[in-house]
Amino acid sequence: MSIHPGTAAKGKAPESPTPANTAKVRRRSPTRVNPALYLFPLPAVAVVAFFLVMPTLQAFQYAITDWNGFSAAFNYVGLDNFIRAFTKDSLFTNALTNNLKFVLLVVIAQTIFSLILALLLTKNSRGSILLRALFFFPTILSSVSVAFIWKFIYDPNFGLANTVLKTVGVDGGSYLGNDAQALYWVAVTQVWFHSGQMMVVYIAGLQAIPRELYEAAEMDGANKWQQFKSITWPFVAPATSIVVAYTTVQSFKAFDLILGIAGNPPKSSLDILSTRIYSTFANSEFGYAAAQSIIFMAMIALVTWLQRRLLRLTPKGE
Amino acid sequence: MLASISRRAILAIYAVIIIVPLTVVAFGSFKTTQELFAGPFSLPHSIAPDNFAEVVGGQNLGSSFMNSVIVTAVSVPLTLFLASLAGYAVSRLKGFMSWAIFGFLVLGMAIPAQANMVPLYVLFGRLGLLDNLGGLILANVVSTLPIAVFILGGFMRTLPKELYEASSIDGSGPWKTYASIALPLSAPSIAAAAIFLFVIHWNELLYPLLFIQTPGNRTLPLALLSFQGEFQTNYPLLFAGVILASLPVVVAYVFLQRYFVAGITAGASKG
């Protein structure tokens, strides 16, 4: 019943070619590769090429047209769609701003919170294992389910949050109804949803730190904070980079959660890029929607790259 | 001492923040709206499954449930089959070809579903795959093949090569070696990948939303989403829907928790 990312995660370490291996390849080993082996990956390669790679490349082609999705005629419009997105379409820039704000909030909150949970539950005691299972639980639910649960928590009239506040004599808020705050409350939901998952990634990183380091630090008179700063944090850097990268992609794509909590289409204070792309598509502006989805992909790549630069999470102890 | 007290306090508070809403939903699914609003934390007065009967019968969540079962039951094994074939080949081929195939398949992990949804919609339209379960199955397979190859291929590469060689000296062809050596030995990673795919496919919302028009072809997440507009504040009905949609995953979690954590965490290292 122990909780740690098991065999599957470990298996991905790239295998370093041993000298014996490379030598074998070079001199055409006697155990030659059976040509039938090339048939095995064929179905997967065909499916990925035809239904994943090709449509992605086509998105670039669509993006420079004004195609509406059903008429046979369309024009090539160059970069007009991209210019429109950034300069003339306040719906799009609003969604972009919301999305970046949401990603920033969730990445910071979820990384810190999941690390705290992991630090508190590193030891494999009975209680820790039970709590890990509980904290992980929300991750397995569907986004729409989580959205409905939190819709009720945030309901201004009958919701859980305000019911609890009323018993202690505090006036409640209107949460999602307050446009200035709505995005923050959805960020709270997202952190509740996925922190347990990231906690597990951190626990695996923490458990790999040799105990002796802490013992030595203690003998040198280092306090807890100094130990964290000079042992724990550098050693969990690989875990942090996984958590930050994954949380970034996950919160860029919080499509299901937003639709579940805010309806389809969501109001503008909760509109993010993925929901905006969908609305543009549903409005049968296929060319423009494709351009937006390319901006979306570029944003994910850009933010991920920036994080790597800023955080300088060079793996240590690997 | 102080540290230990604050540790307990943080853990207890967060446990409450998880347990209480889930309990309210479970109890609430048996209540009337008035009953829920009057006392969200109290036990329900009766455990007559009125709300469940309403969502399953009246709102056709029963047929959506069956659709979800069909889609998931086909797309999970199909993804595993294609991914394990590819992973097996990658583990036995050598040098450049092995890396090229693995790299090509795994590269797809970097493509978010929203990036190619417009051309995919057009393509599926031409192939007659819109508004039917077959299209949903194919979309699920396509979107999760890269991550499945990543998990399974990564694992199979760590299997000792000598086993394959021994098997081919015994005269077994690649197919026999795949079925009798590679698959059984990869059981732990197949189980982890299966759980991961199960959760993803069962909860998938984007593709049904894109492709499905006929209410009778909806899967559970899409049917549930349509509740959001129809029953604005009829929370007991929403909760009954949430319970139905979550039940299979929750039951699996209780029994296969180890694989859940391994699988979903292996999936998390993507990106």
Side-chain angles (χ1 to χ4, degrees):
Chain A
M1 285 290 278
S2 75
I3 288 196
H4 57 81
T7 45
K10 270 176 208 151
K12 72 184 188 333
E15 202 189 336
S16 55
T18 59
N21 262 349
T22 36
K24 236 188 221 168
V25 172
R26 246 180 248 136
R27 63 170 160 79
R28 278 182 168 242
S29 69
T31 52
R32 214 177 301 133
V33 169
N34 187 329
L37 270 176
Y38 287 101
L39 295 176
F40 282 75
L42 218 55
V45 168
V47 164
V48 166
F50 198 64
F51 293 105
L52 190 62
V53 175
M54 195 181 76
T56 307
L57 296 177
Q58 277 176 325
F60 286 87
Q61 190 195 349
Y62 283 33
I64 52 169
T65 70
D66 62 357
W67 192 37
N68 61 13
F70 41 86
S71 76
F74 60 86
N75 305 304
Y76 282 98
V77 294
L79 295 178
D80 281 7
N81 286 329
F82 295 92
I83 296 166
R84 174 178 167 202
F86 284 112
T87 59
K88 293 180 205 130
D89 185 353
S90 61
L91 290 174
F92 182 80
T93 44
N94 167 65
L96 178 62
T97 318
N98 282 345
N99 213 156
L100 292 175
K101 212 197 277 179
F102 184 72
V103 169
L104 192 69
L105 285 168
V106 173
V107 167
I108 292 174
Q110 186 158 294
T111 306
I112 294 174
F113 188 57
S114 58
L115 178 57
I116 291 174
L117 291 180
L119 286 168
L120 298 180
L121 297 175
T122 312
K123 286 198 188 115
N124 284 330
S125 68
R126 203 170 254 255
S128 291
I129 289 170
L130 198 73
L131 283 175
R132 282 181 216 159
L134 177 68
F135 294 169
F136 187 84
F137 181 81
T139 297
I140 67 166
L141 298 174
S142 78
S143 307
V144 182
S145 298
V146 171
F148 286 180
I149 296 170
W150 282 81
K151 229 165 85 89
F152 182 60
I153 293 176
Y154 290 147
D155 189 294
N157 302 312
F158 315 102
L160 281 191
N162 283 353
T163 306
V164 172
L165 287 176
K166 208 191 283 170
T167 57
V168 292
V170 180
D171 281 338
S174 59
Y175 309 98
L176 302 169
N178 182 337
D179 282 334
Q181 299 175 357
L183 198 65
Y184 295 89
W185 295 113
V186 179
V188 170
T189 303
Q190 176 81 356
V191 171
W192 181 87
F193 194 3
H194 288 299
S195 283
Q197 189 184 4
M198 295 302 120
M199 167 195 79
V200 173
V201 176
Y202 265 131
I203 287 174
L206 289 170
Q207 288 184 336
I209 303 176
R211 295 281 102 199
E212 302 80 50
L213 287 175
Y214 293 104
E215 284 157 20
E218 215 141 277
M219 282 205 284
D220 290 346
N223 64 31
K224 288 279 174 205
W225 171 244
Q226 286 166 330
Q227 289 179 26
F228 175 81
K229 228 175 48 177
S230 51
I231 302 173
T232 313
W233 182 247
F235 263 92
V236 294
T240 304
S241 68
I242 292 174
V243 168
V244 167
Y246 190 69
T247 305
T248 301
V249 175
Q250 202 174 45
S251 36
F252 258 114
K253 298 199 292 193
F255 181 78
D256 310 17
L257 185 68
I258 296 275
L259 288 193
I261 213 162
N264 182 20
K267 59 177 181 169
S268 70
S269 62
L270 287 177
D271 205 10
I272 59 171
L273 287 175
S274 48
T275 51
R276 180 98 304 269
I277 296 168
Y278 184 79
S279 298
T280 310
F281 162 81
N283 201 24
S284 62
E285 295 183 87
F286 280 31
Y288 188 38
Q292 292 181 342
S293 59
I294 285 165
I295 299 173
F296 175 66
M297 252 195 303
M299 280 295 155
I300 295 180
L302 180 72
V303 169
T304 309
W305 178 79
L306 270 177
Q307 280 166 348
R308 295 229 162 130
R309 291 296 306 266
L310 290 174
L311 288 172
R312 274 173 231 233
L313 292 168
T314 45
K316 273 182 203 166
E318 276 264 292
Chain B
M1 196 58 206
L2 195 70
S4 137
I5 291 172
S6 54
R7 172 180 182 267
R8 275 156 192 260
I10 295 171
L11 292 175
I13 291 169
Y14 194 53
V16 166
I17 294 176
I18 290 183
I19 292 171
V20 167
L22 297 176
T23 317
V24 167
V25 169
F27 289 174
S29 64
F30 291 99
K31 293 176 180 174
T32 62
T33 313
Q34 289 85 342
E35 205 185 333
L36 177 72
F37 291 164
F41 303 108
S42 64
L43 280 163
H45 290 314
S46 89
I47 50 163
D50 294 349
N51 296 316
F52 292 94
E54 167 62 15
V55 292
V56 171
Q59 301 303 324
N60 274 325
L61 219 55
S63 73
S64 303
F65 191 91
M66 279 321 292
N67 289 339
S68 277
V69 169
I70 294 167
V71 169
T72 311
V74 178
S75 59
V76 171
L78 195 56
T79 313
L80 288 174
F81 179 58
L82 297 188
S84 62
L85 284 179
Y88 169 69
V90 164
S91 73
R92 291 207 62 184
L93 292 172
K94 287 164 189 171
F96 175 74
M97 278 312 282
S98 168
W99 279 105
I101 294 169
F102 189 69
F104 177 76
L105 291 174
V106 164
L107 199 68
M109 289 199 302
I111 303 173
Q114 280 90 356
N116 57 23
M117 68 180 206
V118 181
L120 193 67
Y121 177 86
V122 175
L123 181 63
F124 271 40
R126 283 185 193 140
L127 298 173
L129 290 167
L130 296 181
D131 205 17
N132 62 52
L133 300 184
L136 295 184
I137 290 169
L138 180 61
N140 279 344
V141 171
V142 170
S143 62
T144 49
L145 245 182
I147 183 82
V149 171
F150 180 72
I151 296 173
L152 294 184
F155 184 86
M156 285 177 172
R157 279 186 175 173
T158 63
L159 295 177
K161 297 262 182 289
E162 294 76 27
L163 284 169
Y164 291 150
E165 276 153 27
S167 163
S168 60
I169 287 167
D170 286 350
S172 303
W175 178 259
K176 182 121 190 283
T177 311
Y178 162 79
S180 61
I181 306 249
L183 276 192
L185 285 178
S186 308
S189 86
I190 292 175
I195 292 288
F196 176 73
L197 295 172
F198 169 51
V199 174
I200 300 274
H201 292 175
W202 182 262
N203 291 336
E204 174 61 43
L205 176 69
L206 177 67
Y207 294 121
L209 188 64
L210 271 181
F211 299 151
I212 299 299
Q213 252 143 36
T214 317
N217 289 339
R218 284 176 180 160
T219 55
L220 269 176
L222 183 60
L224 215 51
L225 186 67
S226 71
F227 277 22
Q228 132 86 268
E230 284 173 56
F231 308 110
Q232 273 297 340
T233 53
N234 193 341
Y235 289 108
L237 276 193
L238 296 184
F239 292 170
V242 166
I243 302 270
L244 271 179
S246 311
L247 209 56
V249 184
V250 172
V251 170
Y253 183 63
V254 170
F255 291 105
L256 304 168
Q257 198 209 90
R258 224 168 73 84
Y259 294 109
F260 264 81
V261 175
I264 293 185
T265 312
S269 2
K270 87 178 227 186

